[in-house]
Amino acid sequence: MSAASNLRSEDQFLCSICLDVFTDPVTTSCGHNFCKKCITQHWDVNHKYKCPLCNDICLSRPQLKINTFISEMVAQFRREAQQKASSSSSEQQAAKPAEVPCDVCTGTRLKALKSCLVCLTSYCQTHLEPHLTATSLKRHQLIEPVENLESRMCRKHDKHLELFCKTDQTCVCMLCSVLDHKTHEVVPLREEYEGKKAELEKTEAEIQQMIQKRRLKIQEIKESVKMSKDAADRQKAEGVQVLTALMESVERRLKELIKEIEDKQETTEKQAEGLIKDLEQEISELMERSSEVEQLSHSEDHLHLLQSFSSLKAAPPIRTGQLLEVRFCQPSYEGTVVRAVAQLDETLRKLMKKLFEAELKRVQQYAVDVTLDPDTANPDLILSDDGKLVKCVDVKKNLPDNPERFSLCVCVLGEQSFSSGRFYFEVQVKGKTDWDLGVATESINRKGKIRLSPGDGLWTVCLRNGSEYAALDAPSVRLCLRSGPEKVGVFVDYEEGLVSFYDVDAAALIYSFTGCSFSGELLPYFCPCISDGDKNSAPLLITPVWDVDRHYYYYYYY
């Protein structure tokens, strides 16, 4: 029999009074079927012989007889249900160690399907059947199988824990609420359950939000790593290209140097060979003349000697001494290597210029809009209304001596502060004979003398006497620049601990502080120095960054 037919048969064999399978089914005169005991008790209680389904009334108590047909069908249904339960029980598997076992099974304990909070018992499919069919058991509360059902009972009163004490934050039974917790705020478990469930949902939402933020952070880190890798690949490619060109230039200059020297040596050897050949020819001629002279000198024939002497004297003359007067000089190699290195140095400078131009363009991408903070300006300084220009007038203004203001040194800080990332700004220094530029920590001394060094929170370069440049490191480093910069670019990489200064117009690196250890906020630092009788009256001017390729001014904002 199929599952659908079983369900249909079960509905047909339920008593409408007890809602259970018929026991001793009887049929009333109106044709409805009931358990004999159920309909009898119904009539006894109501004192009327009325059908519970159709309200058909009999004047006298009907004689009830067992409906044999329905009785046999009910019996068959019970047998099939028992066989089905038995078959289902045999198909079930024994409870595994991590599963809740049935408390009713004997021998092999099967896996529990439900736990009853009333019976405090866990049931397998077979033993759960009464709770699904019996009217009295259907009212019991079934939950997913759990262990330690005894923990759901009050140990003191042996009652169900069905209330929650909000004062003590614990589950209590009904007796606890009127005895030990009578002055406390007690609510039904379901009410507290709904509240806690709402809190859990809120917590879950917060956790999911936290997870999402961390996933976004992971994505951000991955993107940063990818950008870093791309930048590293670009740097490697650029380095390989430049250094390969440099190596090729070195190799080319080396070959040219060797060829130049070898050509000189070859010319010298050819000249020497020619001279030696001429001298050897003269030696041969002289030896022949010597032989003739010797023979004639031994002759005793007076006439022959006199005649031969005249012919000997008339022979073609030898270039006596001319070759000996020729000075053979070794070739000069002085300056050959120096000139080669000088040409290589020129090539290197060109390559370095290209590198610095590319580097300057990269750092200019981090340009920020810097304005001067008037609350930090020394009273001898004048600032423009837009906060871009500062100059010293040597006339002290009457300004409030607030804690941020520099009282002794003629300097001023930028309004913008930075505690991470990269930033860049440019300052025009044209026409000045003295100035200091760089960055400073927020905690820099404002009320006394300032020692310009990284140890005191300042990373700066300076100009003195119109031509003396220095990086105020520890110790200070004198800078030999090919030309004085008219515009200085300042770049900071906070995490890298790097502060670099550039000659913007020449696209050249002036100096870099490396391995710096920053803590807290960094601010741009400007010192126009005293005007020195108008010799140094030109201002320091913060200028926008000019993108040569794109032909426009821009600032990059974080």
Side-chain angles (χ1 to χ4, degrees):
M1 187 177 294
S2 65
S5 62
N6 277 340
L7 289 174
R8 188 165 56 249
S9 298
E10 182 178 0
D11 292 339
Q12 292 171 350
F13 299 140
L14 292 181
C15 174
S16 58
I17 297 177
C18 67
L19 300 178
D20 204 349
V21 179
F22 288 124
T23 303
D24 298 330
V26 295
T27 304
T28 61
S29 58
C30 58
H32 292 116
N33 302 305
F34 305 95
C35 295
K36 184 176 182 180
K37 182 178 180 181
C38 292
I39 190 62
T40 301
Q41 290 179 346
H42 177 74
W43 285 342
D44 290 343
V45 170
N46 291 285
H47 306 290
K48 290 182 180 180
Y49 310 123
K50 183 170 65 173
C51 175
L53 291 178
C54 66
N55 294 326
D56 186 29
I57 299 175
C58 297
L59 297 177
S60 60
R61 190 183 190 99
Q63 294 294 322
L64 298 175
K65 295 183 179 179
I66 302 298
N67 188 324
T68 56
F69 174 75
I70 295 179
S71 181
E72 290 176 0
M73 293 296 294
V74 169
Q76 182 180 354
F77 170 76
R78 290 183 185 278
R79 286 193 300 269
E80 290 175 353
Q82 187 175 3
Q83 290 174 0
K84 179 182 177 183
S86 177
S87 174
S88 176
S89 176
S90 63
E91 293 175 357
Q92 292 186 72
Q93 297 180 351
K96 296 177 182 178
E99 297 174 339
V100 179
C102 176
D103 293 328
V104 182
C105 289
T106 58
T108 302
R109 301 176 69 184
L110 302 180
K111 174 185 175 181
L113 294 183
K114 296 289 183 181
S115 294
C116 178
L117 295 180
V118 178
C119 304
L120 297 179
T121 306
S122 297
Y123 299 102
C124 65
Q125 183 175 345
T126 301
H127 295 119
L128 182 64
E129 190 68 26
H131 277 74
L132 303 177
T133 58
T135 303
S136 57
L137 298 178
K138 284 182 179 180
R139 301 187 184 93
H140 290 192
Q141 185 177 357
L142 297 176
I143 62 171
E144 293 301 312
V146 293
E147 294 182 323
N148 301 324
L149 287 168
E150 293 80 6
S151 64
R152 297 174 177 269
M153 298 290 291
C154 176
R155 295 184 178 181
K156 186 174 183 179
H157 304 110
D158 198 27
K159 299 289 184 181
H160 289 126
L161 298 173
E162 50 188 332
L163 300 173
F164 184 82
C165 176
K166 302 188 75 169
T167 306
D168 291 341
Q169 291 293 300
T170 185
C171 297
V172 297
C173 69
M174 190 64 71
L175 286 177
C176 290
S177 66
V178 297
L179 296 175
D180 303 332
H181 300 262
K182 63 181 179 180
T183 60
H184 296 177
E185 184 181 359
V186 178
V187 296
L189 280 182
R190 177 169 291 278
E191 181 180 330
E192 186 65 20
Y193 162 83
E194 295 295 340
K196 289 292 190 288
K197 188 176 181 181
E199 288 184 20
L200 288 175
E201 289 175 354
K202 182 180 178 182
T203 302
E204 174 65 14
E206 292 173 353
I207 292 173
Q208 290 301 322
Q209 188 176 13
M210 293 167 65
I211 292 172
Q212 184 64 20
K213 286 183 179 179
R214 280 150 182 79
R215 284 176 176 166
L216 291 174
K217 188 65 177 178
I218 290 172
Q219 186 64 29
E220 178 186 333
I221 293 171
K222 287 182 178 179
E223 290 177 359
S224 296
V225 170
K226 183 180 181 301
M227 292 174 63
S228 175
K229 185 179 183 303
D230 293 341
D233 291 341
R234 287 194 300 271
Q235 287 291 310
K236 285 192 292 185
E238 187 175 295
V240 168
Q241 181 182 1
V242 171
L243 293 178
T244 299
L246 183 60
M247 288 189 293
E248 289 175 352
S249 179
V250 170
E251 291 175 356
R252 185 169 58 255
R253 290 304 306 150
L254 178 60
K255 289 178 181 178
E256 291 173 357
L257 174 65
I258 292 172
K259 187 176 186 304
E260 181 182 351
I261 295 173
E262 288 178 347
D263 288 347
K264 283 186 177 182
Q265 179 63 20
E266 184 179 353
T267 302
T268 301
E269 290 177 356
K270 285 181 178 180
Q271 290 176 349
E273 288 174 0
L275 184 58
I276 290 170
K277 186 177 180 180
D278 290 343
L279 288 170
E280 287 177 344
Q281 179 67 30
E282 286 192 355
I283 290 172
S284 178
E285 292 176 358
L286 288 170
M287 289 180 69
E288 288 181 6
R289 182 78 59 88
S290 174
S291 178
E292 291 176 359
V293 170
E294 184 180 2
Q295 289 178 3
L296 186 60
S297 67
H298 289 89
S299 175
E300 294 181 358
D301 187 344
H302 299 149
L303 179 62
H304 175 69
L305 187 148
L306 293 173
Q307 291 176 339
S308 298
F309 183 81
S310 298
S311 63
L312 184 64
K313 293 291 288 183
I318 298 174
R319 295 174 295 173
T320 53
Q322 291 182 9
L323 292 176
L324 295 178
E325 296 298 325
V326 175
R327 291 191 61 186
F328 179 76
C329 298
Q330 294 182 0
S332 174
Y333 299 108
E334 299 300 329
T336 305
V337 176
V338 173
R339 286 193 299 275
V341 173
Q343 292 176 353
L344 189 61
D345 182 56
E346 182 64 26
T347 302
L348 181 59
R349 277 201 297 270
K350 291 179 179 178
L351 289 173
M352 290 295 291
K353 183 174 177 58
K354 288 183 179 179
L355 281 176
F356 284 131
E357 286 175 350
E359 180 179 342
L360 184 59
K361 287 175 66 176
R362 280 195 295 270
V363 300
Q364 284 177 333
Q365 296 176 12
Y366 300 98
V368 294
D369 187 10
V370 174
T371 52
L372 303 170
D373 184 358
D375 291 336
T376 66
N378 181 277
D380 288 345
L381 298 179
I382 290 180
L383 275 60
S384 62
D385 293 338
D386 62 359
K388 299 294 183 181
L389 180 147
V390 58
K391 61 186 298 186
C392 182
V393 294
D394 294 338
V395 176
K396 199 174 286 289
K397 292 182 294 183
N398 186 18
L399 296 174
D401 187 20
N402 52 286
E404 297 83 12
R405 190 178 307 283
F406 290 96
S407 60
L408 188 59
C409 296
V410 285
C411 51
V412 61
L413 297 177
E415 285 188 311
Q416 294 73 23
S417 61
F418 307 89
S419 59
S420 64
R422 305 177 179 94
F423 64 94
Y424 173 85
F425 59 94
E426 293 179 353
V427 182
Q428 181 178 297
V429 296
K430 182 179 179 180
K432 296 192 66 60
T433 60
D434 299 89
W435 51 259
D436 302 332
L437 280 178
V439 291
T441 59
E442 193 176 25
S443 58
I444 185 176
N445 179 28
R446 314 287 177 97
K447 299 304 178 185
K449 289 185 177 180
I450 299 177
R451 186 165 164 265
L452 300 177
S453 72
D456 290 273
L458 274 160
W459 292 265
T460 58
V461 294
C462 72
L463 169 65
R464 295 290 183 268
N465 302 319
S467 60
E468 299 172 6
Y469 293 91
L472 302 176
D473 208 334
S476 295
V477 180
R478 185 173 180 179
L479 303 175
C480 297
L481 306 182
R482 295 176 65 88
S483 61
E486 294 187 351
K487 185 183 293 185
V488 177
V490 183
F491 172 70
V492 177
D493 188 328
Y494 196 98
E495 284 74 20
E496 191 70 21
L498 173 70
V499 182
S500 294
F501 298 84
Y502 297 89
D503 181 339
V504 176
D505 297 324
L509 178 67
I510 297 174
Y511 187 78
S512 286
F513 293 86
T514 59
C516 307
S517 180
F518 303 129
S519 61
E521 303 285 341
L522 287 180
L523 301 100
Y525 173 85
F526 308 85
C527 178
C529 297
I530 60 175
S531 61
D532 192 20
D534 289 339
K535 293 180 181 178
N536 189 40
S537 60
L540 291 178
L541 177 63
I542 303 171
T543 60
V545 177
W546 172 249
D547 190 317
V548 178
D549 291 337
R550 300 178 185 174
H551 305 290
Y552 69 89
Y553 293 100
Y554 70 91
Y555 289 117
Y556 177 82
Y557 293 92
Y558 284 94

